[in-house]
Amino acid sequence: MRPGRNRGWLLRLVIAFSFAQGAVSMARPAVSYRALALGADERAVGVIAGVYALLPLFAAVPLGRRTDHGRCAPLLPAGVVLISGGCALSGLVDSLWAMAIWSGVMGLGHLSFVIGAQSLVARQSAPHEQDRNFGHFTIGASLGQLVGPIAAGALIGGHDMAGTSALALLVAGAGCAVAFTSLWRIEDRRTTPKSRTGQGDRVPVHRILRARGVPAGILISLSVLSATDVLTAYLPVVGEERGIAPSVIGLLLSLRAAATIACRLVLTPLLRLVGRTLLLTVTCLLAALLCAGIALPVPVWALALILAALGFCLGVGQPLSMTTVVQAAPEGARSTALALRLTGNRLGQVAAPATAGLIAGVAGVAAPFVMLGGLLLLSAGVALRSPARPAEEDTAATGRRPSPHPTAQRKSDA
């Protein structure tokens, strides 16, 4: 199959990702509530949440290596099984240590699914379609992030917190299993590499990280995800300090997620208008200013406008950083490069909330948003210096990249 000819697989992948991400977004708060109901303190909850992000770090690069020289599709059902099992068993066990283990299994499943799915998009999309297809793919994540917490909030509550949180975890596991219905024959075997590269021929990690554009893509992705995570964790704290009701905070967070979805729906015309480099730079710069604006004591209506604009700007970074990494990585190492990007994301998920907590303890709950503004400002500078890609420069002419970038030559089996 020539990349870019049929996009039915992309729609099915978005549907599957929506269910998988929705299950994870529903399960993570449910795990915290269940741990608290079982007697965990704040540190124990932090450890359980940290295992979700830390355990998969050791598997990211090996999974990327395997996908570079084999099929992508097997990682998708494997990820669904691990997510579903991790969710369900987290709701059935009564030990905090067991919950931490199954939380890690859930994180490993999510990582497996995302590496397989991103590699599939990179492999089955023509070079000039990668920005658009990655943008549509990430709509699945946004839908899951929008629906998952709402579903968790609808189920968890009352006097039996342990029971309702366990029910939410079981429902999340069952919901993730629905993703199986969209994964049948999603990968065209003609896009699979014809031969496996030997161990000695693998591109070293340090060479991937030195490729121009890869570090920029990793930093931009880390910054955007850190902003989303810290916003989700600390906006309720800001609301508590300013007297904003929890229901209003929930609506504000949903507004942010909806704006992100809207951004990804119009990503293609935006790219045609300004190009990837300028779009990344401007949106990171605006996001930096908007994050800092949250620290100001503005009324609720102004906060809603800030969050809507921030959600729109943050919607650009993830899909375009995927394309940046894929097109900058050496031939035969694109899945590994995507895995390194996900490794950076997970490190950011661990480090950003911890750093935000330290800053908030010293300088107040609004200070973490100023920190995020600085991180996004740095990302804007990096995005400005990242190399322009051929999809911007000669989209329909040849579909080829300039000769200084040997990874640009797209083979029919890559």
Side-chain angles (χ1 to χ4, degrees):
M1 185 190 81
R2 195 172 64 200
R5 295 187 65 182
N6 184 346
R7 291 204 299 149
W9 60 269
L10 182 60
L11 175 60
R12 292 192 287 128
L13 187 62
V14 171
I15 293 170
F17 194 25
S18 298
F19 282 102
Q21 183 64 56
V24 170
S25 299
M26 183 178 181
R28 294 199 70 191
V31 165
S32 297
Y33 281 118
R34 180 161 173 77
L36 290 170
L38 294 177
D41 58 14
E42 289 80 359
R43 287 184 298 175
V45 172
V47 169
I48 293 172
V51 171
Y52 170 88
L54 284 175
L55 185 61
L57 291 178
F58 301 100
V61 172
L63 285 174
R65 294 286 197 199
R66 178 226 166 269
T67 308
D68 273 323
H69 308 296
R71 296 180 59 208
C72 307
L75 286 180
L76 303 179
V80 172
V81 168
L82 292 172
I83 294 171
S84 293
C87 291
L89 290 168
S90 294
L92 294 175
V93 298
D94 293 325
S95 163
L96 295 178
W97 283 109
M99 287 192 67
I101 291 171
W102 291 118
S103 178
V105 168
M106 189 199 315
L108 181 60
H110 186 257
L111 180 78
S112 300
F113 188 98
V114 172
I115 288 178
Q118 290 182 5
S119 300
L120 192 67
V121 175
R123 189 174 288 174
Q124 296 192 172
S125 302
H128 66 279
E129 293 178 334
Q130 286 178 345
D131 283 323
R132 179 193 64 192
N133 288 356
F134 275 125
H136 290 170
F137 165 71
T138 52
I139 289 174
S142 298
L143 287 171
Q145 291 166 356
L146 180 65
V147 174
I150 295 174
L155 290 175
I156 301 171
H159 299 293
D160 185 14
M161 187 67 71
T164 56
S165 57
L167 175 62
L169 287 164
L170 292 172
V171 171
C176 183
V178 178
F180 277 119
T181 60
S182 294
L183 296 179
W184 179 252
R185 300 182 67 179
I186 199 168
E187 181 178 22
D188 192 302
R189 289 178 180 269
R190 288 171 290 179
T191 64
T192 305
K194 297 297 185 292
S195 63
R196 291 179 178 268
T197 303
Q199 187 80 14
D201 297 325
R202 289 178 174 178
V203 181
V205 169
H206 67 83
R207 182 183 160 198
I208 299 172
L209 291 174
R210 287 170 57 190
R212 188 182 175 203
V214 171
I218 291 174
L219 177 62
I220 292 167
S221 178
L222 183 153
S223 302
V224 170
L225 186 64
S226 297
T228 302
D229 275 11
V230 172
L231 183 66
T232 302
Y234 279 88
L235 192 64
V237 183
V238 171
E240 189 71 20
E241 186 179 71
R242 299 180 186 176
I244 303 173
S247 58
V248 176
I249 292 296
L251 289 174
L252 291 174
L253 289 172
S254 296
L255 177 64
R256 195 281 310 163
T260 297
I261 295 173
C263 166
R264 289 166 181 172
L265 288 172
V266 298
L267 193 56
T268 300
L270 286 175
L271 284 166
R272 289 174 182 162
L273 184 64
V274 298
R276 185 190 311 136
T277 299
L278 184 58
L279 184 59
L280 271 174
T281 303
V282 170
T283 53
C284 284
L285 180 60
L286 288 175
L289 297 174
L290 291 165
C291 273
I294 296 175
L296 301 175
V298 296
V300 173
W301 65 266
L303 188 59
L305 292 177
I306 290 174
L307 288 170
L310 179 59
F312 192 91
C313 291
L314 293 178
V316 171
Q318 292 289 13
L320 296 196
S321 68
M322 293 178 198
T323 312
T324 299
V325 167
V326 164
Q327 295 188 348
E331 188 81 33
R334 290 169 178 161
S335 295
T336 306
L338 286 169
L340 289 170
R341 173 186 167 277
L342 290 171
T343 300
N345 285 355
R346 292 299 172 92
L347 288 173
Q349 284 183 300
V350 174
T355 304
L358 291 174
I359 293 176
V362 174
V365 295
F369 297 103
V370 178
M371 175 202 75
L372 290 175
L375 185 60
L376 287 164
L377 190 62
L378 176 62
S379 297
V382 169
L384 185 61
R385 293 174 58 84
S386 63
R389 299 262 61 93
E392 300 170 29
E393 297 171 350
D394 63 340
T395 52
T398 63
R400 296 170 56 189
R401 279 172 231 171
S403 58
H405 298 280
T407 63
Q409 303 302 319
R410 183 83 178 184
K411 297 181 180 180
S412 61
D413 63 346

